[in-house]
Amino acid sequence: QVQLVESGGGLVQAGESLRLSCAASGSFFRINAMNWYRQIPGKQRALVARFITNGRPNYADSVKGRFTISRDNAKNTVYLQMNSLKTEDTGVYYCNAEIEVRVGFTSLYWGQGTQVTVSS
């Protein structure tokens, strides 16, 4: 079993920052990628940032230059540093991991979601 636990959401004013964390635990062979998605009210869940193991991070255009995804591989943890937050960033943020549970078998796992609210 694999579990992703998120933390770091909250309420901030526009222009401020938040840092989200997501830690994977359980039994698995390796993590191939860790990602962040968000679901804005009234919209479908969309990819925000992706970090392939041993690769480089990628970002949605809407957050590029403001958000930074990073990983602590020793802790199986992914972070999302969100700077210069805008009201339109408000939503539920979900981490996602592409995990090779055992050699040759990759599955997707999701965190429980954490609310980010940006006020004006």
Side-chain angles (χ1 to χ4, degrees):
Q1 295 289 337
V2 178
Q3 185 177 13
L4 302 180
V5 179
E6 302 180 36
S7 62
L11 173 64
V12 297
Q13 291 186 310
E16 296 182 342
S17 300
L18 281 174
R19 191 191 193 203
L20 307 182
S21 300
C22 176
S25 62
S27 297
F28 50 85
F29 174 60
R30 65 183 177 185
I31 299 173
N32 293 329
M34 299 191 82
N35 318 292
W36 287 98
Y37 287 74
R38 70 184 178 189
Q39 187 165 2
I40 295 173
K43 306 292 183 180
Q44 292 190 324
R45 190 176 302 183
L47 180 67
V48 174
R50 187 178 188 216
F51 202 152
I52 298 174
T53 301
N54 297 323
R56 297 181 180 273
N58 296 104
Y59 302 92
D61 288 342
S62 59
V63 306
K64 192 173 184 179
R66 299 187 297 120
F67 291 10
T68 301
I69 186 172
S70 61
R71 290 176 59 178
D72 185 338
N73 292 333
K75 296 182 178 180
N76 294 320
T77 299
V78 62
Y79 305 93
L80 187 67
Q81 178 67 45
M82 304 183 293
N83 297 329
S84 302
L85 282 162
K86 304 175 181 179
T87 56
E88 50 262 46
D89 294 319
T90 294
V92 180
Y93 284 69
Y94 298 88
C95 66
N96 165 276
E98 303 165 36
I99 297 179
E100 196 167 347
V101 181
R102 56 190 185 276
V103 176
F105 296 90
T106 301
S107 297
L108 301 179
Y109 292 88
W110 292 90
Q112 80 280 9
T114 185
Q115 177 70 40
V116 172
T117 302
V118 184
S119 66
S120 60

